[in-house]
Amino acid sequence: MSRASSLDLLPLLDRSAAALAAVRDEAMLVAAMDDVMTRIVDCEYIGLFFLDRRTARLRHAFTRGFTEEERRAAELTAMDRHVGEVFRTRTVLYLPEVRVETDPSARVNPRRHPVRSRLTVPVVGRGESVGVISLGNTRPAAFSDVQIALVNFVASLAGVVYWNLEDLRALNEQYSLVKTQKEELLELSAPILEAAPGVLLLPVVGRLDDERCAHVAQRLLQTVARRATRAVVFDLTGMGETGSASIAALIDVFRATRLMGAVCLLSGVTPASARRIVGLDLPLPTDRIYPSVHLALAAALAL
């Protein structure tokens, strides 16, 4: 904002707040910061650092004006320069006249364009320091009181953005963990075991719903296609209460398995499952039904 006096501040504040509040990922953050900072300041170097909680280091979430080499150097040395000091003390640092020859940051992280004025503002969220906004200008006294106040305002919003992104990251990690655990449970609830060469055993454990039926069908047919399979033993001994729709879906799995060229054998059919099958009036695509898995495997091996 090189012409601060000519700006209508209320629309600017409203636009900035709306842009940053809508951020849901770092791509949106970069776009929002680029728009907001363009309207506030006119300077060569802009960097938004966020705390990486896994490494306890500051990393760039947004930059402007840096070459890749400068950006890496600025990120690597952030904690050792004025950026780290502002982060630790939560104190705004404004240097209207930087003497390049005596500037410690210039020695640690030299730039193509020497910084002559510097504004560094802490980003605080939920009561803790979570980042820094760092601005560098090649002109002395480049930042007005209004611009400093606006950058402070943006820093406050950036603190909200930081925690929004952290919360989303945590939710995504939790979702990924739950999804992985669910997939593992599905695998364990209907493992496909090779009982002997060409003979697969599929013990069904627990309640069989539509999702599990679809999962079992996909894995089983892939396994039958991948291996030379002559027989599949479906053991229903451990199967829990199952609705009629799932019984019908399971019978479809039998049919699909037979179409793949494998003989289907059943063991462990409970009285309740038998009543449901009879009630559905769906003929089983097998006449090989055995009271125990031991007998079913023996029959499969004899094929």
Side-chain angles (χ1 to χ4, degrees), residues 221-234:
L221 296 179
Q222 287 176 348
T223 303
V224 170
R226 193 168 58 248
R227 302 178 185 177
T229 303
R230 66 176 186 274
V232 179
V233 175
F234 294 85

Side-chain angles (χ1 to χ4, degrees), residues 143-158:
F143 303 101
S144 68
D145 290 342
V146 173
Q147 287 174 313
I148 294 172
L150 287 172
V151 173
N152 266 298
F153 173 72
V154 171
S156 298
L157 296 177

Side-chain angles (χ1 to χ4, degrees), residues 126-148:
R126 297 183 187 175
E128 65 176 279
S129 188
V130 296
V132 172
I133 294 178
S134 178
L135 310 177
N137 205 301
T138 58
R139 302 184 309 277
F143 303 101
S144 68
D145 290 342
V146 173
Q147 287 174 313
I148 294 172

Side-chain angles (χ1 to χ4, degrees), residues 184-185 270:
E184 289 174 351
L185 286 173
T270 65

Side-chain angles (χ1 to χ4, degrees), residues 59-302:
R59 65 173 184 82
H60 275 127
F62 167 76
T63 61
R64 187 197 299 161
F66 293 82
T67 65
E68 181 58 24
E69 183 179 358
E70 288 172 338
R71 189 202 65 77
R72 286 198 302 267
E75 189 174 80
L76 184 64
T77 61
M79 281 295 192
D80 305 319
R81 299 184 291 110
H82 61 284
V83 173
E85 178 184 350
V86 168
F87 176 81
R88 288 185 289 270
T89 62
R90 303 187 198 175
T91 304
V92 174
L93 174 67
Y94 177 41
L95 300 176
E97 183 72 42
V98 176
R99 294 186 177 277
V100 178
E101 62 275 9
T102 60
D103 181 19
S105 287
R107 291 196 297 271
V108 174
N109 183 26
R111 306 282 175 83
R112 290 167 300 151
H113 309 295
V115 173
R116 296 299 310 278
S117 57
R118 177 178 291 125
L119 175 62
T120 312
V121 179
V123 175
V124 178
R126 297 183 187 175
E128 65 176 279
S129 188
V130 296
V132 172
I133 294 178
S134 178
L135 310 177
N137 205 301
T138 58
R139 302 184 309 277
F143 303 101
S144 68
D145 290 342
V146 173
Q147 287 174 313
I148 294 172
L150 287 172
V151 173
N152 266 298
F153 173 72
V154 171
S156 298
L157 296 177
V160 176
V161 170
Y162 174 86
W163 283 113
N164 284 346
L165 294 178
E166 282 293 299
D167 289 344
L168 284 170
R169 181 187 60 79
L171 283 173
N172 287 334
E173 288 181 355
Q174 186 66 26
Y175 171 76
S176 178
L177 176 62
V178 169
K179 183 180 178 182
T180 300
Q181 290 174 336
K182 184 177 181 181
E183 290 172 352
E184 289 174 351
L185 286 173
L186 283 173
E187 297 285 335
L188 292 172
S189 63
I192 298 174
L193 309 174
E194 187 171 22
V199 177
L200 299 179
L201 170 62
L202 196 154
V204 179
V205 180
R207 184 176 179 276
L208 193 66
D209 56 21
D210 293 343
E211 182 182 9
R212 282 188 59 199
C213 274
H215 182 74
V216 167
Q218 181 183 18
R219 290 179 56 238
L220 178 61
L221 296 179
Q222 287 176 348
T223 303
V224 170
R226 193 168 58 248
R227 302 178 185 177
T229 303
R230 66 176 186 274
V232 179
V233 175
F234 294 85
D235 180 43
L236 309 185
T237 304
M239 187 173 72
E241 286 296 319
T242 299
S244 298
S246 295
I247 291 290
L250 185 61
I251 291 174
D252 286 340
V253 176
F254 299 159
R255 291 195 177 106
T257 304
R258 287 187 64 185
L259 287 175
M260 296 291 291
V263 175
C264 295
L265 302 91
L266 277 182
S267 67
V269 177
T270 65
S273 297
R275 285 194 297 272
R276 286 193 180 89
I277 293 170
V278 171
L280 289 172
D281 196 25
L282 293 174
L284 282 174
T286 175
D287 55 1
R288 301 174 183 272
I289 303 175
Y290 301 87
S292 70
V293 68
H294 173 74
L295 292 174
L297 285 173
L301 292 172

